Amino acid sequence: ELFRDKMKLIAAYALLVLGGKEAPTSAEVSAVVTSAGGEVDEASLAALFTDLEGKDIHELLAKGEEDLKSCVGAAAPAGGAAPAAEGAPAAAAKKVEEEEVDALDGGMDMFGGGGGGGDY
């Protein structure tokens, strides 16, 4: 829950920066979160602004992106999943080629409309 609260605050801060605010205030971040129906934990909000003090958000995001790229484990599943995804359309195409069977073959008419010859 704490992680989720922090992410809401970071997202609100980032939205304000994207909207043109060079240095959003804690009141502005709080307003964004509450206008979206969220609640603001004042201690987390204060901690965020303490952590961001004297730092450029664009530099922090660039560093975070580089850190994610350096994670070897994160790249492995994506590479391993690609061949399976490539094979999936071929399997789906084979299923489409199969002959469809009409459920009413054999003359059964469950609503009593004619031609079926059954009691249904």
Side-chain angles (χ1 to χ4, degrees):
E1 187 70 26
L2 183 61
F3 176 75
R4 193 174 185 164
D5 289 340
K6 287 181 179 182
M7 291 305 297
K8 287 179 190 177
L9 297 173
I10 293 168
Y13 188 94
L15 284 171
L16 287 162
V17 171
L18 286 171
K21 287 280 187 185
E22 195 168 316
T25 65
S26 61
E28 292 168 332
V29 171
S30 182
V32 169
V33 172
T34 56
S35 70
E39 294 181 17
V40 176
D41 176 48
E42 294 300 325
S44 294
L45 183 61
L48 173 67
F49 276 86
T50 299
D51 290 344
L52 290 175
E53 190 174 331
K55 298 175 184 166
D56 179 72
I57 188 72
H58 300 289
E59 290 175 9
L60 292 173
L61 291 173
K63 183 184 180 321
E65 185 177 5
E66 287 303 313
D67 289 349
L68 285 174
K69 287 179 184 178
S70 69
C71 293
V72 177
E86 290 173 6
K94 285 183 181 180
K95 285 186 180 182
V96 172
E97 292 173 10
E98 293 178 13
E99 183 178 329
E100 292 185 26
V101 177
D102 188 1
L104 295 178
D105 277 354
M108 184 177 120
D109 185 1
M110 52 193 265
F111 298 111
D119 291 336
Y120 299 98

